[in-house]
C-alpha cells in the first residue's frame, strides 16, 4: 500500500465511503497522526499537498493544500 494513501485508506476502512465529508475526516486523521508522530506540520511532515474529490459522472474537484506548522 502506498504510504501517501495510508491515512485515506484507514479512514475508509473505519467509516466507509462518506462522499464529500470523507475529505474532512482524512484531513483530521492526518493532523492527529502528525501530532502523535511529532511531525513538524499537519500534513504528516510535508508542507504542500493536493486533494482530489471525485463525484458522480465526470465531476472532479481539486485543491492545493498548505500545511500548518505544529507548535
Amino acid at each position: 500500500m502506498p504510504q501517501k494513501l495510508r491515512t485515506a485508506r484507514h479512514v475508509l476502512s473505519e467509516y466507509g465511503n462518506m462522499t464529500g465529508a470523507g475529505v474532512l475526516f482524512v484531513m483530521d486523521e492526518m493532523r492527529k497522526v502528525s501530532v502523535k508522530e511529532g511531525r513538524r506540520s499537519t500534513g504528516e511532515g510535508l508542507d504542500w499537498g493536493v486533494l482530489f474529490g471525485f463525484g458522480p459522472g465526470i465531476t472532479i474537484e481539486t485543491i492545493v493544500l498548505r500545511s500548518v506548522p505544529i507548535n
Side-chain angles (χ1 to χ4, degrees), residues 11-65:
V11 169
L12 282 170
S13 71
E14 291 291 315
Y15 302 101
N17 186 359
M18 300 178 287
T19 63
V23 168
L24 300 175
F25 279 72
V26 171
M27 289 173 63
D28 186 50
E29 185 68 19
M30 287 178 72
R31 180 191 57 80
K32 290 177 185 175
V33 168
S34 296
V35 170
K36 179 181 170 186
E37 294 180 354
R39 303 290 180 121
R40 63 184 178 85
S41 71
T42 56
E44 296 181 337
L46 302 172
D47 292 326
W48 294 92
V50 180
L51 183 142
F52 292 96
F54 300 92
I58 57 171
T59 305
I60 301 172
E61 298 174 4
T62 308
I63 187 168
V64 175
L65 303 170

